[in-house]
Amino acid sequence: MPASGALFQYITLTNTLRLIGWQSTIAWQAAVASSGLLSGTIIQGMLVLAYPSYTFQSWHGTLLLYAVLVVALIFNTFLGRYLSFIESAIFVIHIAGIFAIIIPIAYLAPQKSSAHDVFVLFLDSGGYNNKGLAFFVGVIATVFAFAGPDGAVHMCEEIQNASTVVPWAMVGTIAVNGLLGFAMVIFLLFCLGDIDKALASPTKYPFIEIFYQGVRNSTAGAIALVSLIEVLLIFCCISIMATSSRMMWAFARDKGLPGWQYLNRIEPHTKLPIFALITTTTITLFIALINIGSTAALSAVLSLAVSGGLGSYIPPMALVLYHRLSPKHAQNLHFGPWRLGNPILQFLAHERTGDRGDDELELSALWGDHVVWGE
């Protein structure tokens, strides 16, 4: 049965339940702060571009984060009943916005990179003096985007036919955004312009400088394109707050958090976890104060959104793999309605059981007919 607690509720047979619950809850709390800070500091980047005399201050970013957080809280409380319709509209803006960015820059960009530079050249401009290390440090920002598909799981108790709809939504999200994201990366690499100038941009976001060069140094044009991304980031923060609050509520429902008696309450009129939403907002308000003292320290804290989130996936996946590879436990697995073929798992089972023959029956009993991504 789909559950908002997701990972930690799928491993209730082990002693790692509370650890996974804490990991996932902390990771999602950090994700709220991460998305809010990103939204706030990109606004600062636009201010730097529009007003060169503006000085980039950390406390300005914190206040802008607070403003984004208030907007997210309003959408998750007073406008909560309309959230699904708003998200559908944002999806349309998301798809249309990609083309709205690609088309004008592809046409106006004064300088195009060669195919060799795009597909062969690898630069280490971060001072690591090691291309492998530079890659693994840089990939963290990319991995953060994979928190999105997981967010649907924590909303599953509010979705009809969730055992089928949620897996389709997760895989569809990765497929659509994977293709469009890859196209956007290739496009940006071909229209990169002066990379040294982009890396040294006073906006602190190289993509803003790339947009600025791409529209032939038009400040208004660059701000218009960046504004599309900013709108999407704000609504991303809204969605992450919704997911984070449901994760907190689910963990509190299982008495995993201090004050669970309050955090697991559902407001009867709106049917929303108001206490969890308010607590999530309060935690983010305090986390954002770190930015005033040290942006580097805040970045280290917010890295929990990646390390904590991905770390919480390992025990459930290992447990499921163990059960699938163990004939003793395979009979306890229940298959859901959403599934894929299992050539890889059949290969693993074949390697485990050895030659075919009588083991064919064991393989059939162990794996069933399909790999399950569902209940």
Side-chain angles (χ1 to χ4, degrees), residues 116-140:
H116 177 274
D117 290 343
V118 171
F119 297 105
V120 178
L121 183 63
F122 193 103
L123 298 177
D124 175 14
S125 301
Y128 295 101
N129 298 321
N130 186 305
K131 294 181 180 179
L133 177 60
F135 169 80
F136 284 110
V137 171
V139 81
I140 294 176

mmCIF file with all atom_site columns, all heavy atoms in Angstrom, residues 116-140:
data_model
loop_
_atom_site.group_PDB
_atom_site.id
_atom_site.type_symbol
_atom_site.label_atom_id
_atom_site.label_alt_id
_atom_site.label_comp_id
_atom_site.label_asym_id
_atom_site.label_entity_id
_atom_site.label_seq_id
_atom_site.pdbx_PDB_ins_code
_atom_site.Cartn_x
_atom_site.Cartn_y
_atom_site.Cartn_z
_atom_site.occupancy
_atom_site.B_iso_or_equiv
_atom_site.pdbx_formal_charge
_atom_site.auth_seq_id
_atom_site.auth_comp_id
_atom_site.auth_asym_id
_atom_site.auth_atom_id
_atom_site.pdbx_PDB_model_num
ATOM 1   N N   . HIS A 1 116 ? 33.805 19.974 -31.267 1.00 0.00 ? 116 HIS A N   1
ATOM 2   C CA  . HIS A 1 116 ? 34.931 19.448 -30.495 1.00 0.00 ? 116 HIS A CA  1
ATOM 3   C C   . HIS A 1 116 ? 34.910 19.983 -29.076 1.00 0.00 ? 116 HIS A C   1
ATOM 4   O O   . HIS A 1 116 ? 35.112 19.239 -28.102 1.00 0.00 ? 116 HIS A O   1
ATOM 5   C CB  . HIS A 1 116 ? 36.252 19.814 -31.180 1.00 0.00 ? 116 HIS A CB  1
ATOM 6   C CG  . HIS A 1 116 ? 37.465 19.364 -30.417 1.00 0.00 ? 116 HIS A CG  1
ATOM 7   N ND1 . HIS A 1 116 ? 38.035 20.133 -29.412 1.00 0.00 ? 116 HIS A ND1 1
ATOM 8   C CD2 . HIS A 1 116 ? 38.203 18.221 -30.500 1.00 0.00 ? 116 HIS A CD2 1
ATOM 9   C CE1 . HIS A 1 116 ? 39.067 19.485 -28.918 1.00 0.00 ? 116 HIS A CE1 1
ATOM 10  N NE2 . HIS A 1 116 ? 39.211 18.325 -29.555 1.00 0.00 ? 116 HIS A NE2 1
ATOM 11  N N   . ASP A 1 117 ? 34.667 21.285 -28.924 1.00 0.00 ? 117 ASP A N   1
ATOM 12  C CA  . ASP A 1 117 ? 34.624 21.887 -27.596 1.00 0.00 ? 117 ASP A CA  1
ATOM 13  C C   . ASP A 1 117 ? 33.469 21.329 -26.768 1.00 0.00 ? 117 ASP A C   1
ATOM 14  O O   . ASP A 1 117 ? 33.593 21.163 -25.548 1.00 0.00 ? 117 ASP A O   1
ATOM 15  C CB  . ASP A 1 117 ? 34.487 23.406 -27.710 1.00 0.00 ? 117 ASP A CB  1
ATOM 16  C CG  . ASP A 1 117 ? 35.755 24.061 -28.237 1.00 0.00 ? 117 ASP A CG  1
ATOM 17  O OD1 . ASP A 1 117 ? 36.817 23.409 -28.199 1.00 0.00 ? 117 ASP A OD1 1
ATOM 18  O OD2 . ASP A 1 117 ? 35.674 25.219 -28.707 1.00 0.00 ? 117 ASP A OD2 1
ATOM 19  N N   . VAL A 1 118 ? 32.356 21.061 -27.420 1.00 0.00 ? 118 VAL A N   1
ATOM 20  C CA  . VAL A 1 118 ? 31.168 20.595 -26.698 1.00 0.00 ? 118 VAL A CA  1
ATOM 21  C C   . VAL A 1 118 ? 31.325 19.156 -26.236 1.00 0.00 ? 118 VAL A C   1
ATOM 22  O O   . VAL A 1 118 ? 31.019 18.823 -25.082 1.00 0.00 ? 118 VAL A O   1
ATOM 23  C CB  . VAL A 1 118 ? 29.906 20.736 -27.585 1.00 0.00 ? 118 VAL A CB  1
ATOM 24  C CG1 . VAL A 1 118 ? 28.711 20.052 -26.926 1.00 0.00 ? 118 VAL A CG1 1
ATOM 25  C CG2 . VAL A 1 118 ? 29.605 22.205 -27.839 1.00 0.00 ? 118 VAL A CG2 1
ATOM 26  N N   . PHE A 1 119 ? 31.803 18.277 -27.097 1.00 0.00 ? 119 PHE A N   1
ATOM 27  C CA  . PHE A 1 119 ? 31.797 16.846 -26.808 1.00 0.00 ? 119 PHE A CA  1
ATOM 28  C C   . PHE A 1 119 ? 33.149 16.275 -26.369 1.00 0.00 ? 119 PHE A C   1
ATOM 29  O O   . PHE A 1 119 ? 33.193 15.164 -25.846 1.00 0.00 ? 119 PHE A O   1
ATOM 30  C CB  . PHE A 1 119 ? 31.301 16.074 -28.034 1.00 0.00 ? 119 PHE A CB  1
ATOM 31  C CG  . PHE A 1 119 ? 29.887 16.389 -28.404 1.00 0.00 ? 119 PHE A CG  1
ATOM 32  C CD1 . PHE A 1 119 ? 29.602 17.190 -29.508 1.00 0.00 ? 119 PHE A CD1 1
ATOM 33  C CD2 . PHE A 1 119 ? 28.825 15.898 -27.654 1.00 0.00 ? 119 PHE A CD2 1
ATOM 34  C CE1 . PHE A 1 119 ? 28.290 17.483 -29.852 1.00 0.00 ? 119 PHE A CE1 1
ATOM 35  C CE2 . PHE A 1 119 ? 27.518 16.186 -27.990 1.00 0.00 ? 119 PHE A CE2 1
ATOM 36  C CZ  . PHE A 1 119 ? 27.244 16.981 -29.088 1.00 0.00 ? 119 PHE A CZ  1
ATOM 37  N N   . VAL A 1 120 ? 34.226 17.008 -26.564 1.00 0.00 ? 120 VAL A N   1
ATOM 38  C CA  . VAL A 1 120 ? 35.550 16.454 -26.262 1.00 0.00 ? 120 VAL A CA  1
ATOM 39  C C   . VAL A 1 120 ? 36.271 17.242 -25.168 1.00 0.00 ? 120 VAL A C   1
ATOM 40  O O   . VAL A 1 120 ? 36.870 16.651 -24.257 1.00 0.00 ? 120 VAL A O   1
ATOM 41  C CB  . VAL A 1 120 ? 36.428 16.407 -27.530 1.00 0.00 ? 120 VAL A CB  1
ATOM 42  C CG1 . VAL A 1 120 ? 37.821 15.871 -27.193 1.00 0.00 ? 120 VAL A CG1 1
ATOM 43  C CG2 . VAL A 1 120 ? 35.767 15.548 -28.598 1.00 0.00 ? 120 VAL A CG2 1
ATOM 44  N N   . LEU A 1 121 ? 36.220 18.564 -25.223 1.00 0.00 ? 121 LEU A N   1
ATOM 45  C CA  . LEU A 1 121 ? 36.971 19.402 -24.292 1.00 0.00 ? 121 LEU A CA  1
ATOM 46  C C   . LEU A 1 121 ? 36.408 19.311 -22.871 1.00 0.00 ? 121 LEU A C   1
ATOM 47  O O   . LEU A 1 121 ? 35.205 19.413 -22.665 1.00 0.00 ? 121 LEU A O   1
ATOM 48  C CB  . LEU A 1 121 ? 36.936 20.859 -24.766 1.00 0.00 ? 121 LEU A CB  1
ATOM 49  C CG  . LEU A 1 121 ? 37.734 21.866 -23.933 1.00 0.00 ? 121 LEU A CG  1
ATOM 50  C CD1 . LEU A 1 121 ? 39.220 21.516 -23.964 1.00 0.00 ? 121 LEU A CD1 1
ATOM 51  C CD2 . LEU A 1 121 ? 37.496 23.279 -24.440 1.00 0.00 ? 121 LEU A CD2 1
ATOM 52  N N   . PHE A 1 122 ? 37.282 19.101 -21.915 1.00 0.00 ? 122 PHE A N   1
ATOM 53  C CA  . PHE A 1 122 ? 36.901 19.022 -20.504 1.00 0.00 ? 122 PHE A CA  1
ATOM 54  C C   . PHE A 1 122 ? 37.757 20.013 -19.731 1.00 0.00 ? 122 PHE A C   1
ATOM 55  O O   . PHE A 1 122 ? 38.984 19.891 -19.704 1.00 0.00 ? 122 PHE A O   1
ATOM 56  C CB  . PHE A 1 122 ? 37.113 17.611 -19.946 1.00 0.00 ? 122 PHE A CB  1
ATOM 57  C CG  . PHE A 1 122 ? 36.466 17.369 -18.608 1.00 0.00 ? 122 PHE A CG  1
ATOM 58  C CD1 . PHE A 1 122 ? 35.295 16.641 -18.504 1.00 0.00 ? 122 PHE A CD1 1
ATOM 59  C CD2 . PHE A 1 122 ? 37.030 17.891 -17.457 1.00 0.00 ? 122 PHE A CD2 1
ATOM 60  C CE1 . PHE A 1 122 ? 34.695 16.423 -17.265 1.00 0.00 ? 122 PHE A CE1 1
ATOM 61  C CE2 . PHE A 1 122 ? 36.441 17.699 -16.224 1.00 0.00 ? 122 PHE A CE2 1
ATOM 62  C CZ  . PHE A 1 122 ? 35.266 16.949 -16.120 1.00 0.00 ? 122 PHE A CZ  1
ATOM 63  N N   . LEU A 1 123 ? 37.119 21.004 -19.110 1.00 0.00 ? 123 LEU A N   1
ATOM 64  C CA  . LEU A 1 123 ? 37.842 22.039 -18.379 1.00 0.00 ? 123 LEU A CA  1
ATOM 65  C C   . LEU A 1 123 ? 37.721 21.829 -16.876 1.00 0.00 ? 123 LEU A C   1
ATOM 66  O O   . LEU A 1 123 ? 36.652 21.476 -16.373 1.00 0.00 ? 123 LEU A O   1
ATOM 67  C CB  . LEU A 1 123 ? 37.285 23.422 -18.743 1.00 0.00 ? 123 LEU A CB  1
ATOM 68  C CG  . LEU A 1 123 ? 37.399 23.856 -20.205 1.00 0.00 ? 123 LEU A CG  1
ATOM 69  C CD1 . LEU A 1 123 ? 36.730 25.204 -20.399 1.00 0.00 ? 123 LEU A CD1 1
ATOM 70  C CD2 . LEU A 1 123 ? 38.859 23.914 -20.634 1.00 0.00 ? 123 LEU A CD2 1
ATOM 71  N N   . ASP A 1 124 ? 38.806 22.061 -16.179 1.00 0.00 ? 124 ASP A N   1
ATOM 72  C CA  . ASP A 1 124 ? 38.803 22.052 -14.718 1.00 0.00 ? 124 ASP A CA  1
ATOM 73  C C   . ASP A 1 124 ? 39.122 23.468 -14.269 1.00 0.00 ? 124 ASP A C   1
ATOM 74  O O   . ASP A 1 124 ? 40.273 23.828 -14.027 1.00 0.00 ? 124 ASP A O   1
ATOM 75  C CB  . ASP A 1 124 ? 39.836 21.053 -14.193 1.00 0.00 ? 124 ASP A CB  1
ATOM 76  C CG  . ASP A 1 124 ? 39.946 21.096 -12.667 1.00 0.00 ? 124 ASP A CG  1
ATOM 77  O OD1 . ASP A 1 124 ? 39.064 21.689 -12.032 1.00 0.00 ? 124 ASP A OD1 1
ATOM 78  O OD2 . ASP A 1 124 ? 40.928 20.541 -12.133 1.00 0.00 ? 124 ASP A OD2 1
ATOM 79  N N   . SER A 1 125 ? 38.075 24.288 -14.176 1.00 0.00 ? 125 SER A N   1
ATOM 80  C CA  . SER A 1 125 ? 38.261 25.699 -13.838 1.00 0.00 ? 125 SER A CA  1
ATOM 81  C C   . SER A 1 125 ? 37.975 25.987 -12.376 1.00 0.00 ? 125 SER A C   1
ATOM 82  O O   . SER A 1 125 ? 37.908 27.140 -11.960 1.00 0.00 ? 125 SER A O   1
ATOM 83  C CB  . SER A 1 125 ? 37.351 26.569 -14.722 1.00 0.00 ? 125 SER A CB  1
ATOM 84  O OG  . SER A 1 125 ? 37.637 26.374 -16.090 1.00 0.00 ? 125 SER A OG  1
ATOM 85  N N   . GLY A 1 126 ? 37.784 24.934 -11.592 1.00 0.00 ? 126 GLY A N   1
ATOM 86  C CA  . GLY A 1 126 ? 37.473 25.141 -10.177 1.00 0.00 ? 126 GLY A CA  1
ATOM 87  C C   . GLY A 1 126 ? 38.675 25.077 -9.266  1.00 0.00 ? 126 GLY A C   1
ATOM 88  O O   . GLY A 1 126 ? 38.539 25.211 -8.049  1.00 0.00 ? 126 GLY A O   1
ATOM 89  N N   . GLY A 1 127 ? 39.854 24.873 -9.850  1.00 0.00 ? 127 GLY A N   1
ATOM 90  C CA  . GLY A 1 127 ? 41.065 24.839 -9.048  1.00 0.00 ? 127 GLY A CA  1
ATOM 91  C C   . GLY A 1 127 ? 41.333 23.509 -8.370  1.00 0.00 ? 127 GLY A C   1
ATOM 92  O O   . GLY A 1 127 ? 42.170 23.430 -7.455  1.00 0.00 ? 127 GLY A O   1
ATOM 93  N N   . TYR A 1 128 ? 40.652 22.433 -8.792  1.00 0.00 ? 128 TYR A N   1
ATOM 94  C CA  . TYR A 1 128 ? 40.861 21.129 -8.154  1.00 0.00 ? 128 TYR A CA  1
ATOM 95  C C   . TYR A 1 128 ? 42.089 20.400 -8.695  1.00 0.00 ? 128 TYR A C   1
ATOM 96  O O   . TYR A 1 128 ? 42.581 19.470 -8.054  1.00 0.00 ? 128 TYR A O   1
ATOM 97  C CB  . TYR A 1 128 ? 39.618 20.246 -8.357  1.00 0.00 ? 128 TYR A CB  1
ATOM 98  C CG  . TYR A 1 128 ? 38.395 20.791 -7.663  1.00 0.00 ? 128 TYR A CG  1
ATOM 99  C CD1 . TYR A 1 128 ? 37.412 21.492 -8.368  1.00 0.00 ? 128 TYR A CD1 1
ATOM 100 C CD2 . TYR A 1 128 ? 38.219 20.611 -6.297  1.00 0.00 ? 128 TYR A CD2 1
ATOM 101 C CE1 . TYR A 1 128 ? 36.295 21.993 -7.731  1.00 0.00 ? 128 TYR A CE1 1
ATOM 102 C CE2 . TYR A 1 128 ? 37.103 21.115 -5.651  1.00 0.00 ? 128 TYR A CE2 1
ATOM 103 C CZ  . TYR A 1 128 ? 36.137 21.804 -6.374  1.00 0.00 ? 128 TYR A CZ  1
ATOM 104 O OH  . TYR A 1 128 ? 35.031 22.307 -5.748  1.00 0.00 ? 128 TYR A OH  1
ATOM 105 N N   . ASN A 1 129 ? 42.518 20.780 -9.906  1.00 0.00 ? 129 ASN A N   1
ATOM 106 C CA  . ASN A 1 129 ? 43.679 20.152 -10.546 1.00 0.00 ? 129 ASN A CA  1
ATOM 107 C C   . ASN A 1 129 ? 43.498 18.642 -10.718 1.00 0.00 ? 129 ASN A C   1
ATOM 108 O O   . ASN A 1 129 ? 44.465 17.875 -10.716 1.00 0.00 ? 129 ASN A O   1
ATOM 109 C CB  . ASN A 1 129 ? 44.961 20.424 -9.741  1.00 0.00 ? 129 ASN A CB  1
ATOM 110 C CG  . ASN A 1 129 ? 45.279 21.902 -9.663  1.00 0.00 ? 129 ASN A CG  1
ATOM 111 O OD1 . ASN A 1 129 ? 45.102 22.642 -10.638 1.00 0.00 ? 129 ASN A OD1 1
ATOM 112 N ND2 . ASN A 1 129 ? 45.718 22.361 -8.502  1.00 0.00 ? 129 ASN A ND2 1
ATOM 113 N N   . ASN A 1 130 ? 42.268 18.228 -10.794 1.00 0.00 ? 130 ASN A N   1
ATOM 114 C CA  . ASN A 1 130 ? 41.948 16.819 -10.990 1.00 0.00 ? 130 ASN A CA  1
ATOM 115 C C   . ASN A 1 130 ? 40.570 16.742 -11.644 1.00 0.00 ? 130 ASN A C   1
ATOM 116 O O   . ASN A 1 130 ? 39.576 17.093 -11.021 1.00 0.00 ? 130 ASN A O   1
ATOM 117 C CB  . ASN A 1 130 ? 41.954 16.073 -9.653  1.00 0.00 ? 130 ASN A CB  1
ATOM 118 C CG  . ASN A 1 130 ? 41.760 14.575 -9.823  1.00 0.00 ? 130 ASN A CG  1
ATOM 119 O OD1 . ASN A 1 130 ? 40.795 14.125 -10.433 1.00 0.00 ? 130 ASN A OD1 1
ATOM 120 N ND2 . ASN A 1 130 ? 42.677 13.798 -9.264  1.00 0.00 ? 130 ASN A ND2 1
ATOM 121 N N   . LYS A 1 131 ? 40.528 16.307 -12.899 1.00 0.00 ? 131 LYS A N   1
ATOM 122 C CA  . LYS A 1 131 ? 39.268 16.308 -13.632 1.00 0.00 ? 131 LYS A CA  1
ATOM 123 C C   . LYS A 1 131 ? 38.246 15.355 -13.033 1.00 0.00 ? 131 LYS A C   1
ATOM 124 O O   . LYS A 1 131 ? 37.054 15.636 -13.023 1.00 0.00 ? 131 LYS A O   1
ATOM 125 C CB  . LYS A 1 131 ? 39.522 15.960 -15.101 1.00 0.00 ? 131 LYS A CB  1
ATOM 126 C CG  . LYS A 1 131 ? 40.331 17.019 -15.845 1.00 0.00 ? 131 LYS A CG  1
ATOM 127 C CD  . LYS A 1 131 ? 40.541 16.635 -17.298 1.00 0.00 ? 131 LYS A CD  1
ATOM 128 C CE  . LYS A 1 131 ? 41.345 17.720 -18.023 1.00 0.00 ? 131 LYS A CE  1
ATOM 129 N NZ  . LYS A 1 131 ? 41.580 17.374 -19.438 1.00 0.00 ? 131 LYS A NZ  1
ATOM 130 N N   . GLY A 1 132 ? 38.718 14.241 -12.512 1.00 0.00 ? 132 GLY A N   1
ATOM 131 C CA  . GLY A 1 132 ? 37.801 13.291 -11.881 1.00 0.00 ? 132 GLY A CA  1
ATOM 132 C C   . GLY A 1 132 ? 37.155 13.886 -10.642 1.00 0.00 ? 132 GLY A C   1
ATOM 133 O O   . GLY A 1 132 ? 35.934 13.787 -10.447 1.00 0.00 ? 132 GLY A O   1
ATOM 134 N N   . LEU A 1 133 ? 37.957 14.525 -9.795  1.00 0.00 ? 133 LEU A N   1
ATOM 135 C CA  . LEU A 1 133 ? 37.432 15.159 -8.590  1.00 0.00 ? 133 LEU A CA  1
ATOM 136 C C   . LEU A 1 133 ? 36.488 16.286 -8.960  1.00 0.00 ? 133 LEU A C   1
ATOM 137 O O   . LEU A 1 133 ? 35.422 16.451 -8.343  1.00 0.00 ? 133 LEU A O   1
ATOM 138 C CB  . LEU A 1 133 ? 38.584 15.682 -7.730  1.00 0.00 ? 133 LEU A CB  1
ATOM 139 C CG  . LEU A 1 133 ? 38.194 16.438 -6.456  1.00 0.00 ? 133 LEU A CG  1
ATOM 140 C CD1 . LEU A 1 133 ? 37.384 15.548 -5.527  1.00 0.00 ? 133 LEU A CD1 1
ATOM 141 C CD2 . LEU A 1 133 ? 39.444 16.964 -5.747  1.00 0.00 ? 133 LEU A CD2 1
ATOM 142 N N   . ALA A 1 134 ? 36.862 17.082 -9.968  1.00 0.00 ? 134 ALA A N   1
ATOM 143 C CA  . ALA A 1 134 ? 36.010 18.187 -10.406 1.00 0.00 ? 134 ALA A CA  1
ATOM 144 C C   . ALA A 1 134 ? 34.648 17.663 -10.871 1.00 0.00 ? 134 ALA A C   1
ATOM 145 O O   . ALA A 1 134 ? 33.610 18.270 -10.599 1.00 0.00 ? 134 ALA A O   1
ATOM 146 C CB  . ALA A 1 134 ? 36.690 18.959 -11.540 1.00 0.00 ? 134 ALA A CB  1
ATOM 147 N N   . PHE A 1 135 ? 34.656 16.515 -11.568 1.00 0.00 ? 135 PHE A N   1
ATOM 148 C CA  . PHE A 1 135 ? 33.403 15.934 -12.037 1.00 0.00 ? 135 PHE A CA  1
ATOM 149 C C   . PHE A 1 135 ? 32.503 15.534 -10.868 1.00 0.00 ? 135 PHE A C   1
ATOM 150 O O   . PHE A 1 135 ? 31.314 15.864 -10.838 1.00 0.00 ? 135 PHE A O   1
ATOM 151 C CB  . PHE A 1 135 ? 33.683 14.710 -12.910 1.00 0.00 ? 135 PHE A CB  1
ATOM 152 C CG  . PHE A 1 135 ? 32.463 13.898 -13.225 1.00 0.00 ? 135 PHE A CG  1
ATOM 153 C CD1 . PHE A 1 135 ? 31.582 14.289 -14.224 1.00 0.00 ? 135 PHE A CD1 1
ATOM 154 C CD2 . PHE A 1 135 ? 32.173 12.750 -12.503 1.00 0.00 ? 135 PHE A CD2 1
ATOM 155 C CE1 . PHE A 1 135 ? 30.452 13.547 -14.503 1.00 0.00 ? 135 PHE A CE1 1
ATOM 156 C CE2 . PHE A 1 135 ? 31.048 12.006 -12.773 1.00 0.00 ? 135 PHE A CE2 1
ATOM 157 C CZ  . PHE A 1 135 ? 30.183 12.401 -13.777 1.00 0.00 ? 135 PHE A CZ  1
ATOM 158 N N   . PHE A 1 136 ? 33.072 14.839 -9.884  1.00 0.00 ? 136 PHE A N   1
ATOM 159 C CA  . PHE A 1 136 ? 32.265 14.348 -8.781  1.00 0.00 ? 136 PHE A CA  1
ATOM 160 C C   . PHE A 1 136 ? 31.768 15.474 -7.875  1.00 0.00 ? 136 PHE A C   1
ATOM 161 O O   . PHE A 1 136 ? 30.688 15.376 -7.279  1.00 0.00 ? 136 PHE A O   1
ATOM 162 C CB  . PHE A 1 136 ? 33.041 13.310 -7.971  1.00 0.00 ? 136 PHE A CB  1
ATOM 163 C CG  . PHE A 1 136 ? 33.122 11.971 -8.639  1.00 0.00 ? 136 PHE A CG  1
ATOM 164 C CD1 . PHE A 1 136 ? 34.326 11.506 -9.147  1.00 0.00 ? 136 PHE A CD1 1
ATOM 165 C CD2 . PHE A 1 136 ? 31.989 11.191 -8.792  1.00 0.00 ? 136 PHE A CD2 1
ATOM 166 C CE1 . PHE A 1 136 ? 34.406 10.281 -9.784  1.00 0.00 ? 136 PHE A CE1 1
ATOM 167 C CE2 . PHE A 1 136 ? 32.053 9.964  -9.428  1.00 0.00 ? 136 PHE A CE2 1
ATOM 168 C CZ  . PHE A 1 136 ? 33.261 9.499  -9.928  1.00 0.00 ? 136 PHE A CZ  1
ATOM 169 N N   . VAL A 1 137 ? 32.537 16.547 -7.753  1.00 0.00 ? 137 VAL A N   1
ATOM 170 C CA  . VAL A 1 137 ? 32.066 17.708 -6.993  1.00 0.00 ? 137 VAL A CA  1
ATOM 171 C C   . VAL A 1 137 ? 30.929 18.395 -7.746  1.00 0.00 ? 137 VAL A C   1
ATOM 172 O O   . VAL A 1 137 ? 29.906 18.760 -7.170  1.00 0.00 ? 137 VAL A O   1
ATOM 173 C CB  . VAL A 1 137 ? 33.223 18.694 -6.736  1.00 0.00 ? 137 VAL A CB  1
ATOM 174 C CG1 . VAL A 1 137 ? 32.685 20.001 -6.147  1.00 0.00 ? 137 VAL A CG1 1
ATOM 175 C CG2 . VAL A 1 137 ? 34.241 18.079 -5.794  1.00 0.00 ? 137 VAL A CG2 1
ATOM 176 N N   . GLY A 1 138 ? 31.095 18.535 -9.052  1.00 0.00 ? 138 GLY A N   1
ATOM 177 C CA  . GLY A 1 138 ? 30.076 19.210 -9.844  1.00 0.00 ? 138 GLY A CA  1
ATOM 178 C C   . GLY A 1 138 ? 28.792 18.431 -10.007 1.00 0.00 ? 138 GLY A C   1
ATOM 179 O O   . GLY A 1 138 ? 27.716 19.020 -10.161 1.00 0.00 ? 138 GLY A O   1
ATOM 180 N N   . VAL A 1 139 ? 28.886 17.100 -9.960  1.00 0.00 ? 139 VAL A N   1
ATOM 181 C CA  . VAL A 1 139 ? 27.688 16.292 -10.203 1.00 0.00 ? 139 VAL A CA  1
ATOM 182 C C   . VAL A 1 139 ? 26.698 16.379 -9.047  1.00 0.00 ? 139 VAL A C   1
ATOM 183 O O   . VAL A 1 139 ? 25.521 16.029 -9.204  1.00 0.00 ? 139 VAL A O   1
ATOM 184 C CB  . VAL A 1 139 ? 28.094 14.813 -10.457 1.00 0.00 ? 139 VAL A CB  1
ATOM 185 C CG1 . VAL A 1 139 ? 28.350 14.068 -9.152  1.00 0.00 ? 139 VAL A CG1 1
ATOM 186 C CG2 . VAL A 1 139 ? 27.003 14.094 -11.265 1.00 0.00 ? 139 VAL A CG2 1
ATOM 187 N N   . ILE A 1 140 ? 27.147 16.849 -7.877  1.00 0.00 ? 140 ILE A N   1
ATOM 188 C CA  . ILE A 1 140 ? 26.249 16.955 -6.719  1.00 0.00 ? 140 ILE A CA  1
ATOM 189 C C   . ILE A 1 140 ? 25.060 17.856 -7.037  1.00 0.00 ? 140 ILE A C   1
ATOM 190 O O   . ILE A 1 140 ? 23.914 17.554 -6.689  1.00 0.00 ? 140 ILE A O   1
ATOM 191 C CB  . ILE A 1 140 ? 27.011 17.489 -5.488  1.00 0.00 ? 140 ILE A CB  1
ATOM 192 C CG1 . ILE A 1 140 ? 28.064 16.468 -5.045  1.00 0.00 ? 140 ILE A CG1 1
ATOM 193 C CG2 . ILE A 1 140 ? 26.046 17.780 -4.340  1.00 0.00 ? 140 ILE A CG2 1
ATOM 194 C CD1 . ILE A 1 140 ? 28.938 16.940 -3.911  1.00 0.00 ? 140 ILE A CD1 1
#
